[in-house]
Amino acid sequence: MTTGVIPGGQTPERRPTDPRMPQQQRHDPAGRSAPHDDNRPRSSVITARAAASFEPVGRSVATARAFVRDTLQGWGFADIVDDAVVLTSELVTNAVVHAGTHAEVLCLRTEDGVRIEVSDHYPEREVPLQTSAHPMAGPDREGGRGLQLCAALATRWGVDYTPTHKHVWFQLNLPERPVGTRTAGPALPTDLLPLADGRVRVAVVQVDRKGAVTAWNEDAEELFGHPAAEAIGRPLTELAAWPHTPGTGTGVAEALRLSRWEGSYGIRGADGRVVQVYASHLRVRDTGGEPSTVCLLVRDHERAVLQTPARVPAGDQSTAQDGQNADPFEVFIGSPAPDDLDGLLQRTVERARDMLDGDSAFLLLATDDETELEVRASTGLPSARQRFARVPVEAGPGRYGSARMPAVHDDLGAVPGAVPLLTGTGMRSVVTVPLKVEGRLTGSLGVAAEAPGRYSNEEALRLQFAADRIALAVESARLGELERLRRGSLSFLVEASDLLAGTLDRDQTLALMAQMTVPTLATWCAVYTIADQASEPYLSYVLHEDEELIDGIKSLLSKVAPPDPVPTPGARVWTVPGEVAHQAALRTSMRSLGLTGGPTHRVASGIGPTLATASAVGGETVVLPLVARNRVIGMLVLGKPTDEHFRQEILELAEDLSRRAALALDNARLYSERTAISQALQRSLLPPGTPDIEGVEVEVIYRAAGEGNEVGGDFYDLFPIGNGAYGFAIGDVCGTGPNAAAVTGLARHALRLLAREGLSGPAVLERLNSAILDEGDRSRFLTLLYGEMRPQEDGSAELKVVCAGHPLPLRLRQDGTVTPAAEPQPLLGVIEDLELYEETVTLDPGDVLLCVTDGVTERREGTRMLGDDGLADVLTTCTGLTAGAVAARIMRAVERFASDAPSDDMAILAMRVPGIHQDA
């Protein structure tokens, strides 16, 4: 993969010639000129390009998605990365899976967006003629959706054909995102200035156009622990812990390009911990025109130091002094970018607070079913940390209990719980009004004050008027965010499904489940597994975005009862971890202060969670069942830190992920069980061991073809018969795999049983032949070399051999000559009446007898085959070697003969009578 910058002024139409992109003709499916032809302005300038080629294998689709995602995120194109990934995935799938060819992907960055080109090599496809019609594939088909998706998502797209290539391109333009500047507020009296604990340190970090740190002041060193010498030159993306939700939010690269940006994120300190900061970014350029970004950062709880005051602009103060109070909404309406939902909501609550001179304000958005309201923005409330918390639309009976109607509460102290969001905040009076679009409830806006009786119906009408004016903009921005979230969710689930389908290992599946959820969906997660219906849930995996907290959470969860394995779909809240961690941490803190008492709830000894652990699990914790094949096989637990809650969209995405993860986990379980059974059965077909024979060296090498197979159609055996005699056999059943292995087991066990009955070699093989024929349709023919060996007192060994259709054994003498040690006879399992005979062979000291199966002699490389002669040539080089060295040299020669993996089982049995000088 190559990436580089192309000098300005070069357009895509005039890029250098490329051998894979000859002069092309464009056609639409109906034969007319393509309506989506490339009609880009000729002034589009390519500023960067990245290209990669992918092999025609299934895993290339995921690699192509990752390539496009990494490229676009590196260019800062977060707004269009999800659409680009979905389109690239479909087009590369068409190339490498359906067309079965290599695919080339080219990304071109322009000033207004990105152009991505996917080419495949499909010489069998003819160039469409003007009269031919190629209807587009239906959406329910497995393939052929690429052009439909291009038409739906891309700004422009086209298809080019040549006799050797098909070339599909699409263009995605960046959405216009107007950036404004926020005005400073009027001078404030000293008693109204925000409070700060001790010295406020403001880190000043400057970042160049490539995202690398160029300045790092002393306060930055103090806050984050990185010396300036270590920080300067590093990309800010290595230090920034940027919050990420699929399809929504501003990325760090995008934020650094905006003329002005404010918000919260984290900086990873030298100790590995994340310091939550509030930042204000300002885009500047030097006298030479080189752009950079200045970042001012403070601790998140000191955000008031940097946050721009949302007060009436100074230019309007004279009007206010004349007694004509300016409505801040008159200044606000239309100023935020329409798709910046968070900015729009935050500015709304700030202006609402200022308009009614309140102490706090909050805005909630309705869920799809309008039964609950979700906190999306607030100011002046400690519950700002409770983002995405939910309250019911109908909080109580009567007009004042419903968010569908305006309501004024003079004194919340008299009606506790009337506004759940304000419980414990010190607010006494509040006015709330609904946000409605075409009569449908879309949200609720409220302003509160610390003094009772502050608001009347007149203020409620003013706030309702403002809410009516902003409701449509809020709903439009919410729908835009929801659409981006859904597109991001689609891309996320595609990636997750691909990763989960790529493994059948249980432990790896558990790790993937956790890594996909943290930190994208949750701050921490735990996976419980259930072996069977009678087993209790078992804590199998724990992950937190801060690795130092994993052990504490694992210790906590291992000491509390697991959640109930309820098969009901959807997320349910689990409060036990937060409650137990809080109580244990409180008791630990009281003991450290020399106090006694504390919570009476008994916690199992040994938990010892620290305050950090209690804070990590102190937010909302939800449990999602892992259901596969109508059985609960586990639970996925997702958690947030203190006072944080999950969005409904994130929970729905987590539920989709849990269904896919459950099936992948169950498949891994089934695969592990089947593999364990198969391995146990296969091991039972192998000889228990090779006996030590005095005066004879024996070495065996066995390789079964096929992944996961320990036994195939080839087999060997060496066993004592009695009276100093030993039986040996090497055979080959027709075929490979389990069916051949079944005959292997029959043959090996029958040989041992018959040989120990005192039968001669021919009689043993004749009875084995009858047993194989008795198997009927399951029978397979068998080649077999069987013999009996007796070591002699003079140091030689006498062998009686029967070779039934098997490759002949080879005898290597001390002088290097190689000769066959037997004659061929009929194989087993074909005819009933066999007339076999045995031959006697004497191995003198230093001689070697080599027995192999046809997987050795029939080893192929193209049209070449090792053969009997090739095996004999290799054996002649083994003079003087031990039996183990002979077998190893033969195996190396076989493996080196061809580059491909062996497709047939192989067995090698080498027996050698040591020379007299080697007896010591």
Side-chain angles (χ1 to χ4, degrees), residues 549 551-557 559-560 577-589 591 603-615 617:
L549 297 176
D551 290 339
I553 297 177
K554 185 182 298 184
S555 175
L556 170 68
L557 295 179
K559 301 299 181 181
V560 301
E579 294 173 353
V580 173
H582 174 74
Q583 293 168 4
L586 178 59
R587 188 170 55 253
T588 302
S589 299
R591 283 199 301 266
V603 183
S605 60
I607 296 180
T610 63
L611 291 176
T613 303
S615 176
V617 300

Side-chain angles (χ1 to χ4, degrees), residues 221-227 230 234 239 267-276 545-549:
E221 293 184 8
E222 184 66 25
L223 283 174
F224 311 124
H226 298 286
E230 295 181 3
R234 294 179 62 181
L239 303 175
I267 296 292
R268 193 170 297 279
D271 59 357
R273 294 182 178 274
V274 175
V275 179
Q276 297 296 327
E545 62 181 5
D546 186 348
E547 293 183 358
E548 294 185 3
L549 297 176

Side-chain angles (χ1 to χ4, degrees), residues 143-328:
R145 298 188 299 259
L147 300 185
Q148 289 179 315
L149 288 175
C150 287
L153 300 179
T155 305
R156 289 183 297 274
W157 64 278
V159 183
D160 303 333
Y161 286 102
T162 71
T164 58
H165 294 77
K166 185 183 69 155
H167 183 66
V168 183
W169 61 266
F170 62 87
Q171 172 108 13
L172 295 172
N173 288 348
L174 290 173
E176 296 183 3
R177 187 181 291 274
V179 179
T181 58
R182 299 175 63 178
T183 60
L188 293 177
T190 303
D191 57 345
L192 295 182
L193 293 176
L195 297 175
D197 297 332
R199 176 184 172 184
V200 177
R201 295 189 179 273
V202 181
V204 181
V205 181
Q206 192 163 3
V207 182
D208 63 16
R209 70 159 67 211
K210 296 181 180 179
V213 175
T214 59
W216 188 268
N217 72 340
E218 294 181 0
D219 281 357
E221 293 184 8
E222 184 66 25
L223 283 174
F224 311 124
H226 298 286
E230 295 181 3
I232 293 177
R234 294 179 62 181
L236 185 63
T237 53
E238 290 184 3
L239 303 175
W242 202 264
H244 173 66
T245 299
T248 65
T250 301
V252 60
E254 182 183 26
L256 293 174
R257 292 200 316 273
L258 298 177
S259 63
R260 178 67 184 271
W261 184 88
E262 289 184 14
S264 298
Y265 55 91
I267 296 292
R268 193 170 297 279
D271 59 357
R273 294 182 178 274
V274 175
V275 179
Q276 297 296 327
V277 298
Y278 187 82
S280 177
H281 296 179
L282 179 64
R283 187 79 160 161
V284 298
R285 62 187 176 93
D286 59 20
T287 55
E290 183 67 19
S292 62
T293 302
V294 178
C295 309
L296 305 179
L297 305 98
V298 297
R299 293 185 178 90
D300 194 57
H301 64 272
E302 296 172 339
R303 64 170 58 194
V305 177
L306 296 184
Q307 195 166 21
T308 303
R311 299 293 177 183
V312 181
D316 293 344
Q317 290 183 15
S318 59
T319 305
Q321 293 173 355
D322 293 339
Q324 300 177 2
N325 295 328
D327 187 348

Side-chain angles (χ1 to χ4, degrees), residues 289-496:
E290 183 67 19
S292 62
T293 302
V294 178
C295 309
L296 305 179
L297 305 98
V298 297
R299 293 185 178 90
D300 194 57
H301 64 272
E302 296 172 339
R303 64 170 58 194
V305 177
L306 296 184
Q307 195 166 21
T308 303
R311 299 293 177 183
V312 181
D316 293 344
Q317 290 183 15
S318 59
T319 305
Q321 293 173 355
D322 293 339
Q324 300 177 2
N325 295 328
D327 187 348
F329 272 83
E330 293 291 343
V331 180
F332 168 70
I333 294 296
S335 63
D339 60 346
D340 184 9
L341 179 61
D342 291 335
L344 180 63
L345 299 182
Q346 190 61 37
R347 287 167 173 80
T348 299
V349 296
E350 292 172 357
R351 299 313 194 267
R353 177 198 62 189
D354 298 338
M355 182 180 69
L356 298 187
D357 194 23
D359 296 307
S360 64
F362 52 89
L363 192 148
L364 303 90
L365 294 183
T367 57
D368 292 340
D369 57 5
E370 298 181 14
T371 60
E372 291 182 305
L373 295 172
E374 190 175 60
V375 179
R376 293 301 302 270
S378 64
T379 181
L381 291 175
S383 58
R385 293 175 299 174
Q386 297 179 0
R387 185 178 167 94
F388 306 122
R390 294 195 167 197
V391 296
V393 170
E394 309 292 344
R399 177 176 182 272
Y400 295 100
S402 174
R404 303 181 187 277
M405 300 292 292
V408 177
H409 294 272
D410 292 329
D411 190 354
L412 293 178
V415 190
V419 183
L421 182 62
L422 301 180
T423 301
T425 62
M427 300 297 158
R428 297 288 297 277
S429 55
V430 61
V431 54
T432 61
V433 297
L435 276 69
K436 293 185 177 181
V437 175
E438 297 181 352
R440 182 173 56 86
L441 179 69
T442 60
S444 178
L445 177 64
V447 178
E450 295 179 353
R454 283 283 301 276
Y455 302 115
S456 63
N457 289 340
E458 181 180 351
E459 281 81 4
L461 292 175
R462 291 184 62 205
L463 188 62
Q464 183 68 72
F465 178 72
D468 291 341
R469 299 181 63 185
I470 199 63
L472 185 58
V474 170
E475 180 66 3
S476 176
R478 187 187 74 84
L479 293 177
E481 181 193 68
L482 183 60
E483 178 63 22
R484 289 192 300 275
L485 178 63
R486 287 174 177 169
R487 289 187 178 185
S489 300
L490 173 63
S491 178
F492 174 79
L493 291 174
V494 167
E495 198 77 25

